[in-house]
Amino acid sequence: MSFFFTSESVSEGHPDKVSDAISDGVLDAILTEDPDARVACETFVTTGLVLVGGEITTKAYIEVQDVVRSTVKRIGYTSAEYKFDSESCSVLNAIHSQSPDIAMGVDKGGAGDQGLMFGYACSQTEELMPMPIMFAHKLVKKLADIRKNGNGLMPYLRPDAKSQVTIEYDDNKNPVRVDAVVISTQHDSDVTQKKIKDDVIDQVVKSVIPAELIDGKTKYFVNPTGKFEVGGPHGDSGLTGRKIIVDTYGGWAPHGGGAFSGKDPSKVDRSATYAARHIAKNVVASGLAKECLVQVAYAIGVAEPVSVFVDTKGTGVIPDSKISEMIQKEVDLTPIGIIKRLNLRRPIYQKTSAYGHFGRTEENFTWEKTDLVSVFKKYA
């Protein structure tokens, strides 16, 4: 029996993503000067205000205010009309140092916290990601590209936007068609909703979603409330880490206990989730399975994971238990091992704060590389 599955994404101008970008911007600025810094940075945004807090231990000195204003400007909040802009917003700094109790365990190479992390890959798309979340990301990314570089193509666009894509699957979990596309985009007041809908379908949807997946039954919902002028941090407050399902697999696969943005790689919430995705992707890319879920779990202050679980949903060419044994034999899953293998002590994180942490092709997304395929193929 066929079924339908839906995932959503949000643009970099969404208030929660503004917060994620600021937190990761602070992290990048610190790692530029101090690669061994301990950073857990949280951000709250609302009308005319940015509050940055958290626990940071570092030898570096950065101007938090400069990071905030440059990030907000890059995203596109540059007009006082938005009630939140890079020049006039207030910036409050409430950062303090990391707890020495936590540092004691991390200094010895242990995990920065307890927790469970998931990684996933499947053969639905060339990125080895679930199709609904990949299309949802690409739609809001396309809106942002047009807004910033469209040479007047859709001059009324503002930074805040959301997307949602519903895919129909056949009995074997193969995607067969796009059933529904929802896009809400913030806009200037002097444009009609018909103009927005026509432009979004022609310039955004049709350029992102392959024509063979669209048919006469595909439904389009563009700004379904009828208007979206008030948006961004003025429309809703934003918080770091409040869009974790957008960050990962759109609900198709589980998410662990923690968010990513603003955390240095000693925090396994981030680094071990990247490692789990790296492993799952290489399992699928090596032909060991068409679908792979990997769970790892850690105890605070302990280096080795307390468990490694694999579920290939019945698609594995060898038993899941053998794949788990292979992973533990071939891959160093200690925090230090992950950081070294994926080269994570670099200022690479602000780009991850929008449009998903996975399924990306940029060079610095080392957890997306298929460099373990030759190792894993030996077990096929």
Side-chain angles (χ1 to χ4, degrees):
M1 181 180 293
S2 65
F3 65 94
F4 299 84
F5 193 88
T6 303
S7 294
E8 72 159 347
S9 184
V10 297
S11 73
E12 63 202 68
H14 185 281
D16 294 328
K17 283 291 150 199
V18 173
S19 296
D20 285 344
I22 291 170
S23 293
D24 275 334
V26 170
L27 171 63
D28 281 353
I30 291 171
L31 291 179
T32 299
E33 296 186 25
D34 181 8
D36 296 317
R38 304 277 167 73
V39 181
C41 179
E42 311 286 345
T43 303
F44 167 77
V45 298
T46 188
T47 303
L49 174 67
V50 177
L51 171 61
V52 183
E55 300 79 46
I56 297 177
T57 301
T58 180
K59 298 176 289 186
Y61 175 78
I62 66 163
E63 285 286 357
V64 171
Q65 186 152 168
D66 291 348
V67 173
V68 169
R69 297 193 188 283
S70 64
T71 300
V72 172
K73 182 177 182 179
R74 177 186 59 77
I75 290 170
Y77 287 109
T78 55
S79 170
E81 186 180 355
Y82 301 155
K83 304 293 193 295
F84 179 87
D85 72 275
S86 59
E87 295 295 325
S88 66
C89 66
S90 298
V91 180
L92 303 182
N93 184 345
I95 293 170
H96 59 91
S97 61
Q98 183 187 53
S99 160
D101 297 345
I102 295 175
M104 219 169 23
V106 179
D107 290 343
K108 298 184 297 184
D113 201 352
Q114 72 173 45
L116 50 107
M117 299 84 204
F118 289 95
Y120 178 80
C122 63
S123 56
Q124 292 181 28
T125 63
E126 64 180 1
E127 297 91 354
L128 302 185
M129 287 283 288
M131 186 175 285
I133 189 65
M134 286 309 301
F135 282 163
H137 284 325
K138 289 178 179 181
L139 289 170
V140 285
K141 178 67 163 59
K142 183 66 175 180
L143 275 171
D145 290 344
I146 291 173
R147 175 172 57 86
K148 293 179 175 181
N149 308 304
N151 296 318
L153 185 61
M154 297 170 70
Y156 51 81
L157 292 176
R158 292 183 178 183
D160 198 356
K162 303 177 83 169
S163 67
Q164 188 171 282
V165 177
T166 302
I167 301 292
E168 182 178 358
Y169 291 82
D170 65 17
D171 297 352
N172 297 315
K173 294 172 68 173
N174 297 311
V176 294
R177 57 181 291 273
V178 174
D179 185 66
V181 178
V182 183
I183 295 182
S184 296
T185 181
Q186 187 186 14
H187 58 85
D188 292 342
S189 59
D190 58 348
V191 60
T192 66
Q193 292 301 313
K194 183 182 185 305
K195 170 68 171 171
I196 295 172
K197 183 173 183 177
D198 290 346
D199 285 351
V200 165
I201 293 173
D202 291 340
Q203 305 297 334
V204 180
V205 177
K206 290 183 177 179
S207 70
V208 166
I209 299 178
E212 62 268 20
L213 292 174
I214 297 175
D215 58 26
K217 295 182 179 179
T218 300
K219 300 178 286 289
Y220 302 101
F221 302 92
V222 179
N223 284 5
T225 63
K227 188 170 72 167
F228 186 7
E229 292 178 24
V230 178
H234 179 53
D236 285 296
S237 60
L239 284 171
T240 299
R242 203 160 57 176
K243 281 288 178 283
I244 58 176
I245 302 304
V246 169
D247 288 340
T248 52
Y249 307 103
W252 184 272
H255 190 288
F260 308 147
S261 289
K263 295 178 181 177
D264 78 85
S266 74
K267 278 72 173 175
V268 283
D269 280 341
R270 181 168 221 160
S271 55
T273 303
Y274 290 177
R277 160 64 179 172
H278 183 224
I279 291 167
K281 184 174 183 179
N282 278 268
V283 167
V284 174
S286 67
L288 287 177
K290 292 183 178 179
E291 185 176 3
C292 183
L293 177 71
V294 176
Q295 186 209 54
V296 291
Y298 292 83
I300 188 168
V302 179
E304 295 287 347
V306 298
S307 68
V308 178
F309 168 78
V310 173
D311 183 4
T312 62
K313 313 294 182 180
T315 68
V317 300
I318 61 175
D320 293 350
S321 59
K322 294 297 183 184
I323 297 178
S324 178
E325 290 173 8
M326 172 196 75
I327 292 167
Q328 294 176 76
K329 178 181 178 182
E330 299 289 352
V331 184
D332 185 349
L333 284 171
T334 65
I336 290 175
I338 293 169
I339 289 168
K340 183 177 180 181
R341 182 173 67 257
L342 300 180
N343 196 12
L344 296 179
R345 291 205 174 278
R346 297 177 296 148
I348 59 174
Y349 295 104
Q350 195 172 63
K351 282 189 177 181
T352 70
S353 63
Y355 315 118
H357 293 243
F358 309 123
R360 305 283 290 271
T361 58
E362 295 94 322
E363 177 64 26
N364 287 328
F365 287 69
T366 51
W367 49 94
E368 292 297 311
K369 295 184 182 298
T370 51
D371 49 353
L372 296 176
V373 165
S374 60
V375 175
F376 289 178
K377 274 187 173 180
K378 295 184 299 185
Y379 292 82

